């Protein structure tokens, strides 16, 4: 009984020893930073300031916190997409504030109109940046260390590993090990011979892909940050025949990052030669744009050669790193204003603002200089304008358009005189007419003078005050001129992140050991086992393929006859292992402790 207990105790000690070896082998496959656990006695002492700082740093640089911060950053971007942003369209923000007087104070307190420059979004952004760096640096150091090291030697009992096979061969152990090393290296394993076994490892690109993914995230964060700090973005409305030069004074509106220098504007210019827009004429898609492009002549630099170009939706013109996008289109009626003597005081194409999909447009025509009334006194004229490209009659008190093309253009005008308010120094909307300091022109019935005009027709002002003629229609296009550095880096980072993530998900890191020793009967016993970083059904299959390849060099030895078949009737030496004398597929590996 005592002998049995002693034997059992030794077996448990051996199992614990081999389990520790197995655990150590698996632990070496990981490049994750090891968490240091302080020894605790009966009472845990309170941590100092440095201890708390270390604890906070470990939490911040953990993968769990990095994923939480990335999730919070995604959540934080949602209000930036749903709520109008001051940095994108200040007019929409003002309209939102007027319509939602209750929500406005709350949104302003939470900085929801400036999400991407808010304190809370910036805090998440910076913490994520620091967390990723804190994750990557130690993992990179450990990964480089593992690349420079060699796979560890084989555990004493390979049968404990998840995938295992064995057979007997008449080849010499040295020949088997040399053949195994050559075969594994031929399959891109890193291997070397340690004692009576060959140790090999493969799948380092899994951890490399993991590191590439996180480094790519940092690159994307830096690219987005630089794009916000150094970007410039402005809008310009150009009528056919007019041009634009990329200088600050030429923009209708201009916004830039906090570190942007206006001297870095790329020197170029372009002229809008023609705008081409065609629309579906029938069916359920009637009125849908089919052709929507601006044909321009542009020149790079002050003295650059002129070139022809076409700007389409989502197909910008790129000049010296600056992109010119086509974002809108409309019509500009050409009108001629004359005073009472018949003198032309204004002739121009006046852009009007579309208000529906059929490009029904409204706006204002302003004559600020050169006009004198019948008494010879300088004054200003203003006309409220309403334009339809395809007249369809009156609806709800006003005319409307039934098609966006110029099939039947009509311009409706109402006339005013007085002060336009442009001399006050305050900014004014070019599409609106401030009539607070103006008087209406009256018709013969004492009502506001107004008239619908077709091309070539005119509206005569009463008492010989002059006239306004509708000469024709030009088209205009609105462009967004954008310079945003870091887009190329962001795209490269996104591609690298996808590639790294794919590598970390689909590449398995694994180790293979091949042991070849001479048995008691002089026949070589070959054992092969594999260990993966994670559970995978492909590991036993791969080990089966490796063993099949090695069998061609170290073929299976023929079985020896049993004791009853020997001439002298003596028992043959049982040198076979638990697998007999044939290679065993890893799925048929014996259970733990099944050795004879």
């Amino acid at each position: 009984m005592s002998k049995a207990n002693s034997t059992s105790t030794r077996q448990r000690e051996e199992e614990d020893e081999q389990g520790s070896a197995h655990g150590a082998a698996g632990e070496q496959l990981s490049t994750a930073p090891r968490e240091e656990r302080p020894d605790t006695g009966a009472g845990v002492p309170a941590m100092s300031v440095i201890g708390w700082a270390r604890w906070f740093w470990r939490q911040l640089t953990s993968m769990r916190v990095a994923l939480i911060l990335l999730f919070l950053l995604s959540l934080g971007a949602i209000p930036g997409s749903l709520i109008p942003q001051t940095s994108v369209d200040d007019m929409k923000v003002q309209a939102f504030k007027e319509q939602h007087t209750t929500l406005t104070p709350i949104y302003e307190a939470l900085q929801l109109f400036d999400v991407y420059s808010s304190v809370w979004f910036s805090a998440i952004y910076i913490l994520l940046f620091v967390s990723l760096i804190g994750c990557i640096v130690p993992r990179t150091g450990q990964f480089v260390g593992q690349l420079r090291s060699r796979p560890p030697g084989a555990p004493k009992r390979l049968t404990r590993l998840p995938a295992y096979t064995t057979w007997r061969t008449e080849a010499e152990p040295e020949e088997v090990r040399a053949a195994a090393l050559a075969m594994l290296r031929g399959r891109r394993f890193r291997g070397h011979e340690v004692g009576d076994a060959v140790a090999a490892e493969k799948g380092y690109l899994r951890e490399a892909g993991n590191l590439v993914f996180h480094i790519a995230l940092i690159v994307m964060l830096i690219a987005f940050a630089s794009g916000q700090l150094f970007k410039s973005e402005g809008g310009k409305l150009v009528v056919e025949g007019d041009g634009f030069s990329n200088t600050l004074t030429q923009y209708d509106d201009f916004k830039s990052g906090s570190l942007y220098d206006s001297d870095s504007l790329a020197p170029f210019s372009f002229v809008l030669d023609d705008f081409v827009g065609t629309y579906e004429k029938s069916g359920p898609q009637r009125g849908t744009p089919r052709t929507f492009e601006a044909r321009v002549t542009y020149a790079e630099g002050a003295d650059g050669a002129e070139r022809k170009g076409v700007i389409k939706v989502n197909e910008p013109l790129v000049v010296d790193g600056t992109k010119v996008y086509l974002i809108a289109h409309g019509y500009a009626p050409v009108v001629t204003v004359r005073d009472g003597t018949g003198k032309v005081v204004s002739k121009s194409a006046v852009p009007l603002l579309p208000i529906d999909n059929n490009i029904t447009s409204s706006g204002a025509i302003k004559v600020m200089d050169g006009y004198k009334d019948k008494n010879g006194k300088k004054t200003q004229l203003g006309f409220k304008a309403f334009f339809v490209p395809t007249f369809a009659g009156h609806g709800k008190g006003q005319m409307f358009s039934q098609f966006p093309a110029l099939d039947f253009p009509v311009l409706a005008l109402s006339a005013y005189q007085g002060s336009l308010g442009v001399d006050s120094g305050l900014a004014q909307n070019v599409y609106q007419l401030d009539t607070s300091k103006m008087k209406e022109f009256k018709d013969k019935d004492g009502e506001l003078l107004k008239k619908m005009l077709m091309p070539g027709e005119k509206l005569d002002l009463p008492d010989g005050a002059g006239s306004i003629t509708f000469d024709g229609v030009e088209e205009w296009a609105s462009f967004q001129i954008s310079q945003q550095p870091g887009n190329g880096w962001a795209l490269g980072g996104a591609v690298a992140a996808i590639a790294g993530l794919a590598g970390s998900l689909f590449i398995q890191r694994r180790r293979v050991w091949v042991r070849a020793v001479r048995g008691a009967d002089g026949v070589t016993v070959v054992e092969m086992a594999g260990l993966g970083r994670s559970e995978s059904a492909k590991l036993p299959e791969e080990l089966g393929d490796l063993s099949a390849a090695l069998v061609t060099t170290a073929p299976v030895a023929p079985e020896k006859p049993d004791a009853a078949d020997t001439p002298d009737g003596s028992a043959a030496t049982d040198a076979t292992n638990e697998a007999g004398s044939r290679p065993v597929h890893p799925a048929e590996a014996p259970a733990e402790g099944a050795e004879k």
Side-chain angles (χ1 to χ4, degrees):
M1 188 70 176
S2 175
K3 183 178 180 180
N5 290 339
S6 176
T7 302
S8 176
T9 301
R10 285 198 303 271
Q11 288 180 349
R12 283 197 299 271
E13 289 177 353
E14 283 187 12
E15 290 175 0
D16 292 341
E17 178 185 351
Q18 298 307 319
S20 299
H22 180 189
E27 193 175 297
Q28 291 178 20
L29 284 175
S30 174
T31 59
R34 293 183 176 84
E35 182 178 358
E36 297 178 4
R37 298 181 180 180
D39 295 333
T40 57
V44 180
M47 287 193 295
S48 63
V49 175
I50 297 177
W52 278 109
R54 289 177 177 173
W55 178 86
F56 178 78
W57 176 253
R58 290 194 186 101
Q59 298 303 313
L60 180 62
T61 56
S62 65
M63 190 61 63
R64 178 179 63 257
V65 172
L67 291 175
I68 292 174
L69 290 172
L70 188 61
F71 179 69
L72 290 177
L73 194 71
S74 302
L75 288 181
I78 293 177
S81 302
L82 300 179
I83 300 173
Q85 297 296 295
T86 304
S87 60
V88 177
D89 194 333
D90 189 57
M91 298 292 293
K92 286 187 177 180
V93 173
Q94 295 300 326
F96 184 91
K97 290 181 178 180
E98 292 174 0
Q99 296 174 2
H100 304 84
T101 55
T102 304
L103 290 176
T104 295
I106 301 175
Y107 283 7
E108 288 178 339
L110 297 175
Q111 299 178 300
L112 295 184
F113 294 117
D114 300 279
V115 167
Y116 302 110
S117 59
S118 63
V119 174
W120 56 269
F121 191 86
S122 300
I124 297 174
Y125 194 92
I126 293 172
L127 286 174
L128 177 60
F129 189 79
V130 174
S131 178
L132 287 174
I133 293 178
C135 287
I136 290 172
V137 171
R139 293 175 70 94
T140 302
Q142 292 189 10
F143 181 59
V144 170
Q146 291 216 354
L147 286 178
R148 297 176 63 183
S149 64
R150 291 185 171 187
K156 185 175 180 181
R157 294 170 65 183
L158 294 178
T159 54
R160 289 188 173 275
L161 298 183
Y164 174 83
T165 186
T166 183
W167 72 95
R168 290 154 45 88
T169 181
E170 293 181 349
E172 295 296 323
E174 295 79 7
E175 296 177 2
V176 175
R177 290 194 290 268
L181 183 59
M183 181 265 297
L184 290 169
R185 286 178 175 175
R187 302 202 178 198
R188 298 189 299 278
F189 278 84
R190 294 178 62 219
H192 68 118
E193 191 170 344
V194 185
D196 60 358
V198 172
E201 189 168 2
K202 188 178 182 180
Y204 288 89
L205 287 180
R206 177 187 179 93
E207 183 63 23
N210 194 8
L211 293 174
V212 166
F213 172 74
H214 290 88
I215 293 173
L217 287 182
I218 292 180
V219 171
M220 292 171 64
L221 290 175
I222 294 176
F224 292 149
S226 64
Q228 291 296 316
L229 293 175
F230 296 98
K231 73 174 182 178
S232 69
E233 187 176 274
K236 179 64 178 179
L237 186 148
V238 183
V239 180
E240 288 177 330
D242 292 344
F244 167 79
S245 180
N246 193 28
T247 59
L248 202 58
T249 56
Q250 289 277 301
Y251 284 91
D252 295 332
D253 58 85
F254 184 83
K255 295 178 181 179
S256 62
S258 57
L259 299 181
Y260 181 78
D261 183 5
S262 59
D263 293 336
S264 61
L265 284 172
F268 71 91
S269 61
F270 68 87
V271 175
L272 177 60
D273 299 326
D274 186 26
F275 182 88
V276 179
T278 61
Y279 307 89
E280 188 69 36
K281 293 184 176 296
S282 61
Q285 299 295 321
R286 172 180 166 82
T288 302
R290 293 306 179 201
T291 304
F292 206 76
E293 60 186 34
R295 299 172 181 175
V296 300
T297 300
Y298 69 97
E300 184 175 352
D303 302 318
E306 292 187 346
R307 304 176 184 176
K308 295 292 184 179
V310 177
I311 307 175
K312 302 179 181 179
V313 177
N314 296 326
E315 295 183 19
L317 173 69
V318 182
V319 184
D320 194 15
T322 301
K323 295 183 178 181
V324 182
Y325 294 90
L326 174 63
I327 59 174
H329 157 258
Y331 295 109
V334 180
V335 295
T336 301
V337 180
R338 295 177 173 87
D339 60 12
T341 65
K343 176 185 176 182
V344 176
V345 295
S346 174
K347 183 173 184 177
S348 62
V350 182
L352 301 181
L353 189 66
I355 59 176
D356 61 22
N357 291 333
N358 286 326
I359 317 185
T360 302
S361 307
S362 67
I365 301 171
K366 302 177 183 181
V367 180
M368 294 177 283
D369 298 311
Y371 176 79
K372 295 181 181 180
D373 61 13
K374 61 182 179 179
N375 299 321
K377 182 180 178 181
K378 289 184 177 180
T379 186
Q380 296 173 332
L381 296 178
F383 301 88
K384 288 184 177 180
F386 195 85
F387 174 79
V388 291
T390 301
F391 181 68
H394 295 274
K396 296 184 179 180
Q398 65 180 12
M399 62 182 185
F400 62 94
S401 176
Q402 65 175 359
F403 196 70
L406 286 172
D407 292 343
F408 188 8
V410 174
L411 175 65
L413 296 173
S414 56
Y416 300 81
Q417 67 174 340
S419 174
L420 293 169
V422 295
D423 300 327
S424 63
L426 299 176
Q428 195 176 79
N429 192 326
V430 296
Y431 301 105
Q432 294 180 353
L433 184 66
D434 182 6
T435 60
S436 60
K437 296 181 180 180
M438 305 189 79
K439 295 181 180 180
E440 300 176 351
F441 281 104
K442 302 293 185 178
D443 60 14
K444 60 182 180 179
D445 298 325
E447 301 293 334
L448 172 65
L449 179 66
K450 53 186 178 181
K451 186 179 181 180
M452 291 190 299
L453 307 175
M454 290 188 294
E457 296 181 344
K458 70 175 180 177
L459 169 64
D460 291 318
L461 301 179
D463 301 326
S467 65
I468 179 170
T469 304
F470 178 27
D471 299 322
V473 183
E474 297 283 356
E475 299 189 56
W476 60 260
S478 181
F479 300 94
Q480 177 180 292
I481 297 91
S482 176
Q483 184 178 4
Q484 188 166 6
N487 283 347
W489 285 98
L491 177 61
V495 173
I498 294 174
L501 184 61
S504 64
L505 291 177
F506 298 110
I507 296 176
Q508 183 189 11
R509 183 125 174 240
R510 64 272 195 199
R511 285 182 179 149
V512 172
W513 291 277
V514 180
R515 173 175 287 138
V517 294
R518 192 181 304 279
D521 59 352
V523 180
T524 301
V525 178
V526 181
E527 291 182 288
M528 182 179 288
L531 175 66
R533 182 175 181 179
S534 58
E535 294 295 332
S536 174
K538 293 184 178 181
L539 180 62
E541 295 178 6
E542 184 177 28
L543 193 67
D545 294 338
L546 293 174
S547 63
L550 187 57
V551 162
T552 60
T553 304
V556 178
E559 294 186 6
K560 289 190 176 183
D562 295 335
D565 298 331
T566 58
D568 57 358
S570 61
T573 304
D574 188 5
T576 60
N577 50 37
E578 65 276 8
S581 60
R582 62 179 181 86
V584 179
H585 192 276
E588 303 174 16
E592 295 183 6
E595 296 84 4
K596 292 183 179 180

